[in-house]
């Protein structure tokens, strides 16, 4: 897995490069927009992590240039501004995800991983399977082994997202954003409540747990006994 | 003449010039018309005089007519008569420059210092020619007198306009000097200074009143910014000091991997809290600055409220509480879904964190959104204050939260052209927060219910 990091702030760039390197990614660093765009246009990457404000060419300009040249590499945009409207602007320009600085490394890792594993667009998926857990997206039903699991709509959405990203650490912020469209952290433990409800329902028949809590980071859905990847 | 640089005299000068040119053009045309009219009148007189002489001719014959012509000539009056024999020789009377024979009207050119003449000729039955004529000078003078009045009036008008312009300019100068002085004082930093108002209610007073209202708003905003800066300094200094103490204490201790990890984790948690406060402050600031209004899109508020209530119902249940939502369908407004969602989530966080009992979420047509609980509520005298940044009730100081939740709600309401009101919850207990978005929901133009009692009127 090869990742391009475009970031002008040396401390942040090294922090990201070191962290992702320890995760086993090959990291290329570009310190300004021009170099970043050059690298992105000429070499294959699995994920691009780009700052939004850059000397040379800014993050949005790079993004537009990439998309205009038909390069669909997933881009995670970093920004010092956490405003919603800026976020929308970035997503509209073709960013696949958006992360506000400063961020916990676990958050960045979770998002990079989600982007790197994003399957190429394929035929409509109608069923998701993780271990003995099956989700029928057409009938909106979930079964564990052969036991039917009754889920509320919001719980269904949560489980669907987790099943689309099995074995990955999903942070609370990521879940809030992707499942409920909350671009902020509520003071109440909204995510924990919903996850623990889904978890209880998945284990109601005495099955082994599938959702693990990663302390200080978030949650992982994986087949029982599987090591998180 | 510095006052010439002023607006009013320049307008006066222009008006004067236009009036003068127009009246001169008018004078030329008027002279022609007056001259023509007067000449026609003169022709009638000439015709009547000729008629009289012809009657003499019929009664007394050519001799009688010649006598009459001789009398006219002797008298030297305005009417001149000339009688010519058929061969062109004068029989009686005198008319210098007369043609040898004239039938009908003619204007004769001036002769040696004399003025132009208007003449009427008639051929008598015996072939002799009677010519009567009169001076055109009178007509010319009258026409000129008539034609000259407009330019004279125009000149006077131009002069008056100049004087008036000068006076207005002096008055303008005085009014503007007052405004300018006040504006300079404001620029120099005296934000309490206001423009002078004359009290007459003229357009200057109205402008001054508008600018004064603007200055009041600026003063208010600056005071608010100052307040916020103080609040930020205070509210961020305490957690930062706490963090510093924690790290300092840890540094003084013996190194141990587990203890260090615990301290570092605690430090990160502290920092996250500080960052969350920063993010909330930024968001409020941007919302209050009206940012994001350009990104407004139609929002289905009914669906949004239902969705958020669905997310929070299990959270309430887990806390041993009940969340009830009554949502009127089809409530739409142009707005920011993200901010409206966060505003509602903040209200629900508050109701869960600081309230107690059942939480009632109601979206009524308007749209008017209310979140109420059955907890201790907020005393009426504190209600205005809890909408401010960082303001927290004494009993809430130890519950989690940044003290910014309601401030954001208020900012979101204002961004959408609505307002926030704090009241009692149902049955007079607890706190009911109403987000009145009717001004923003102009699309729902049907008969709107009366504003709830105690609704705060935004200035």
């Amino acid at each position: 897995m090869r990742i391009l990091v475009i970031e002008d702030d040396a401390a942040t760039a090294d922090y990201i490069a070191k962290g992702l390197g320890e995760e086993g990614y090959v990291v290329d660093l570009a310190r300004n927009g021009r170099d970043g765009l050059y690298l992105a246009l000429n070499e294959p990457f699995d994920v691009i992590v780009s700052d939004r404000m850059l000397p040379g060419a800014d993050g949005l300009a790079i993004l537009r240039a990439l998309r205009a040249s038909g390069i669909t590499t997933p881009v995670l945009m970093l920004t010092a501004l956490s405003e919603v409207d800026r976020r929308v602007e970035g997503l509209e320009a073709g960013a696949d995800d958006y992360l506000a600085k400063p961020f916990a490394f676990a958050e960045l890792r979770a998002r990079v991983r989600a982007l790197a594993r994003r399957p190429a667009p394929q035929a409509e998926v109608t069923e998701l399977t993780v271990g003995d857990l099956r989700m029928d997206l057409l009938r909106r039903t979930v079964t564990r082994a052969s036991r039917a699991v009754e889920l509320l709509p919001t719980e269904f959405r949560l489980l669907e997202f987790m099943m689309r990203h099995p074995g990955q650490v999903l942070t609370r912020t990521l879940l809030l954003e992707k499942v409920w469209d909350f671009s902020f952290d509520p003071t109440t433990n909204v995510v924990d409540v919903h996850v623990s409800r889904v978890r209880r329902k998945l284990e109601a028949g005495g099955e082994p747990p599938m959702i693990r809590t990663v302390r200080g980071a978030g949650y992982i859905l994986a087949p029982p006994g599987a090591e998180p990847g | 003449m510095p006052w010439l640089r002023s607006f009013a005299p320049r307008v006066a000068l222009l008006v004067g010039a236009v009036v003068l040119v127009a009246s001169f053009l008018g004078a030329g045309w008027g002279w022609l018309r007056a001259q023509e009219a007067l000449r026609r009148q003169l022709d009638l007189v000439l015709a009547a005089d000729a008629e009289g002489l012809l009657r003499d001719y019929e009664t007394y014959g050519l001799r009688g007519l010649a006598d009459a012509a001789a009398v006219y000539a002797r008298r030297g009056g305005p009417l001149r008569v000339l009688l010519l024999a058929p061969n062109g020789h004068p029989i009686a009377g005198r008319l210098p420059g007369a043609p040898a024979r004239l039938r009908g009207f003619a204007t004769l050119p001036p002769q040696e210092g004399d003025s132009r003449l208007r003449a009427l000729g008639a051929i008598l039955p015996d072939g002799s020619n009677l010519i009567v004529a009169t001076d055109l000078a009178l007509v010319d003078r009258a026409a000129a007198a008539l034609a000259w009045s407009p330019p004279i009036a125009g000149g006077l008008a131009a002069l008056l306009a100049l004087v008036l312009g000068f006076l207005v300019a002096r008055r303008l100068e005085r009014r503007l000097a007052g405004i300018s002085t006040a504006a300079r004082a404001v620029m120099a930093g005296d934000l309490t200074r206001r423009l002078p108002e004359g009290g007459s209610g003229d357009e200057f007073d109205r402008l001054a009143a508008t600018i004064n209202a603007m200055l009041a708003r600026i003063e208010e905003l600056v005071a608010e910014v100052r307040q916020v800066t103080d609040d930020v300094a205070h509210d961020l200094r305490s957690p930062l000091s706490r963090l510093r103490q924690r790290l300092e204490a840890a540094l003084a201790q013996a190194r141990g991997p587990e203890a260090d990890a615990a301290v570092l984790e605690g430090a990160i948690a502290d920092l996250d809290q500080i960052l969350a406060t920063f993010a909330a402050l930024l968001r409020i600031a941007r919302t209050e600055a009206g940012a994001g209004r350009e990104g407004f899109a139609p929002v289905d508020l009914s669906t949004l409220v239902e969705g958020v209530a669905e997310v929070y119902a299990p959270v309430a249940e887990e806390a041993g509480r009940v969340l009830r939502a009554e949502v009127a369908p089809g409530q739409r407004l142009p707005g920011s879904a993200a901010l409206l969602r966060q505003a509602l989530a903040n209200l629900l966080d508050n109701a869960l964190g600081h309230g107690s009992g059942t939480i009632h979420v109601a979206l009524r047509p308007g749209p008017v959104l209310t979140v109420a609980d059955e907890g201790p509520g907020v005393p009426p005298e504190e209600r205005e204050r809890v909408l401010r940044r960082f303001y927290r009730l004494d009993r809430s100081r130890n519950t989690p939260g940044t003290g910014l939740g309601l401030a954001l709600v208020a900012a979101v309401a204002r961004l959408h052209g609505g307002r926030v009101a704090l009241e009692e919850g149902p049955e007079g207990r607890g706190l009911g927060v109403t987000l009145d978005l009717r001004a923003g929901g102009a699309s729902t133009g049907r008969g709107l219910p009366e504003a709830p009692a105690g609704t705060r009127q935004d200035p």
Side-chain angles (χ1 to χ4, degrees), chain A residues 154-162 175 179 194-195 198:
Chain A
T154 167
E155 294 166 346
F156 187 92
R157 277 209 305 281
L158 171 63
L159 185 61
E160 178 187 339
F161 183 78
M162 296 184 90
L175 291 173
V179 179
H194 284 275
V195 170
V198 171

Side-chain angles (χ1 to χ4, degrees), chain B residues 154-240:
Chain B
L156 279 175
L159 203 67
L160 268 175
L162 275 182
V163 171
L164 207 65
F166 172 70
L167 291 178
V168 169
R170 270 221 324 223
R171 200 174 140 73
L172 271 177
E173 203 69 46
R174 268 204 303 274
R175 295 294 295 267
L176 289 175
I179 291 177
S180 186
T181 311
R184 263 178 236 281
V186 173
M187 265 158 62
D190 181 5
L191 287 175
T192 57
R193 186 68 180 262
R194 294 292 175 270
L195 306 190
E197 288 179 45
S200 61
D202 61 4
E203 43 288 66
F204 276 100
D205 278 356
R206 292 200 295 272
L207 178 66
T210 308
I211 292 178
N212 282 342
M214 181 185 83
L215 287 174
R217 179 77 183 127
I218 290 174
E219 190 188 356
E220 200 179 296
L221 285 175
V222 169
E224 210 169 286
V225 167
R226 247 176 233 152
Q227 179 67 42
V228 169
T229 317
D230 292 352
D231 290 345
V232 169
H234 178 262
D235 267 70
L236 289 177
R237 182 180 290 156
S238 348
L240 284 172

